[in-house]
Amino acid sequence: MNRVRKNVYVAVLVTIAVILTGTCCVSAMDKVNINTASVEQLMQLDRVGANYAQRIVEYRENNGPFKAPEEIMNVKGIGKKTWEANKDRIVI
């Protein structure tokens, strides 16, 4: 009987882990419009914290909307590594 309980317990834990992982992965792949996103939304991008997110907002306020997603690399501190990590998620 203890063996059955242990197997059920393990199955429940595995199921919960799969559900939580799936939810995390789905939200991590959401598209981010760099012309309309808030600082908080921009922070969902990989390698973008509060300071870089604020720089993105300030850049678009000072220079107008981005015309192409890769223009995010014009923002001070946003380079090729950040672009490569997020290029499938950034939209305009």
Side-chain angles (χ1 to χ4, degrees):
M1 198 62 156
N2 284 338
R3 185 174 179 182
V4 172
R5 281 188 189 156
K6 184 177 181 180
N7 287 342
V8 169
Y9 180 71
V10 169
V12 169
L13 288 177
V14 169
T15 302
I16 291 171
V18 168
I19 291 169
L20 292 176
T21 302
T23 303
C24 176
C25 293
V26 169
S27 66
M29 295 308 293
D30 288 342
K31 303 286 185 186
V32 176
N33 185 322
I34 58 174
N35 282 330
T36 60
S38 66
V39 169
E40 291 77 18
Q41 291 167 322
L42 290 164
M43 288 173 57
Q44 299 305 309
L45 294 170
D46 292 336
R47 304 175 60 91
V48 176
N51 289 336
Y52 288 135
Q54 184 61 44
R55 287 182 191 174
I56 295 167
V57 170
E58 289 172 2
Y59 181 91
R60 78 173 180 232
E61 288 174 350
N62 294 331
N63 299 287
F66 293 94
K67 293 174 182 64
E70 55 273 6
E71 286 183 9
I72 195 171
M73 290 187 288
N74 294 338
V75 177
K76 183 180 178 183
I78 305 288
K80 189 170 180 138
K81 286 183 182 179
T82 302
W83 166 247
E84 290 296 325
N86 294 293
K87 66 182 178 183
D88 295 331
R89 296 184 54 213
I90 295 174
V91 296
I92 57 168

